[in-house]
Amino acid sequence: MEFPYEKDNKERIPLTHYLEEYQKIDPKEAALRCGVEFDEEKQQFHVRLMGYSYLADYPEFALHPEEGEEGPVHFSEMVPAKIIVLRFLISGQSVKSTGKYLTYREVPWGEVYFRQFEGRCLTRLKFAFGFKLNEFAAAMEKLGAEKISMGDAAYEFEFINGLHVRFILWAGDDEFPPSSQILFEDNFPYAYQAEDLAVVGDISITTLKALAAS
């Protein structure tokens, strides 16, 4: 797949900026572009985040779970989760995947930011669950993730509408440390930039740790 990616490596823009940009979008166009439902009467987008159904109010943004959908992590109170939803609705595109998955290095500009991603996501994932594969599996089952045949334990899950991630673990033992890999469905670069994928990893790992503890 070819990605319509602009060379834009700006630092994270504050939440207030995204809130302003959000108010400028055409909600009908955004719903069509992102492949999400927009309730014109209630002026709300319906989004799925880590397996949970959320409502995003428009034009004054607020994120809150649909009735009975509150998980162990309250995304409505998490600034990174708000930003990731805002960025999806502001500029994301719903593009059908070819079925291929990409390592972080393979996404546009992933090589540039790999060290940060490695420390923030891969290292965190392997030390959170590399010696606790049963807890990893239990958390993934609670999430409704699909078990796949990779590594010593691996699951595929939907991060946000139509965008899937794979978490893969190789168990550690007395001689060798654990290792991990995170793969992104090849339609991710149409919705997010490389810098965003570290946030995707952060949110996903935080959710799994909360599910494991619940």
Side-chain angles (χ1 to χ4, degrees):
M1 300 175 78
E2 295 183 359
F3 309 116
Y5 186 81
E6 296 181 1
K7 187 177 180 181
D8 183 1
N9 293 308
K10 60 184 179 294
E11 295 180 354
R12 177 178 300 282
I13 300 175
L15 174 62
T16 52
H17 172 81
Y18 289 122
L19 293 174
E20 292 172 1
E21 291 299 306
Y22 180 70
Q23 293 182 342
K24 299 175 185 177
I25 67 173
D26 177 341
K28 293 182 182 179
E29 182 277 334
L32 183 63
R33 169 170 45 78
C34 297
V36 302
E37 178 187 347
F38 179 69
D39 187 323
E40 293 188 49
E41 181 179 349
K42 296 182 178 179
Q43 293 288 286
Q44 292 176 322
F45 290 100
H46 290 252
V47 297
R48 296 186 303 275
L49 189 60
M50 291 296 295
Y52 297 95
S53 298
Y54 273 75
L55 299 170
D57 295 345
Y58 179 84
E60 295 295 333
F61 179 80
L63 188 65
H64 44 94
E66 292 197 37
E67 186 175 355
E69 287 288 317
E70 186 74 281
V73 176
H74 297 172
F75 297 126
S76 55
E77 301 170 6
M78 185 189 295
V79 171
K82 292 179 182 180
I83 289 176
I84 216 73
V85 171
L86 282 165
R87 283 185 55 73
F88 181 63
L89 294 173
I90 291 168
S91 58
Q93 297 181 57
S94 175
V95 175
K96 187 176 181 180
S97 170
T98 67
K100 181 182 177 182
Y101 278 75
L102 309 171
T103 65
Y104 188 80
R105 290 180 184 271
E106 291 177 300
V107 303
W109 290 89
E111 191 69 46
V112 175
Y113 295 103
F114 178 73
R115 284 187 179 275
Q116 293 92 323
F117 178 79
E118 182 179 36
R120 189 172 173 182
C121 298
L122 295 178
T123 299
R124 186 181 174 208
L125 176 61
K126 71 182 181 182
F127 286 116
F129 294 107
F131 294 102
K132 304 174 182 178
L133 296 191
N134 288 339
E135 290 185 18
F136 175 70
M140 282 294 191
E141 294 295 335
K142 290 179 183 178
L143 191 63
E146 178 183 353
K147 187 176 182 179
I148 56 176
S149 299
M150 300 180 78
D152 291 324
Y155 285 83
E156 177 182 313
F157 59 92
E158 183 184 56
F159 176 75
I160 198 169
N161 299 62
L163 299 173
H164 294 79
V165 181
R166 288 178 174 177
F167 274 13
I168 308 163
L169 284 171
W170 289 265
D173 56 30
D174 292 338
E175 295 185 35
F176 299 100
S179 59
S180 67
Q181 181 60 278
I182 297 175
L183 303 178
F184 300 92
E185 199 168 15
D186 66 357
N187 53 359
F188 252 93
Y190 289 92
Y192 293 114
Q193 298 181 5
E195 303 98 311
D196 298 313
L197 299 190
V199 182
V200 170
D202 262 347
I203 292 171
S204 300
I205 296 166
T206 296
T207 302
L208 284 177
K209 290 180 73 174
L211 285 167
S214 64

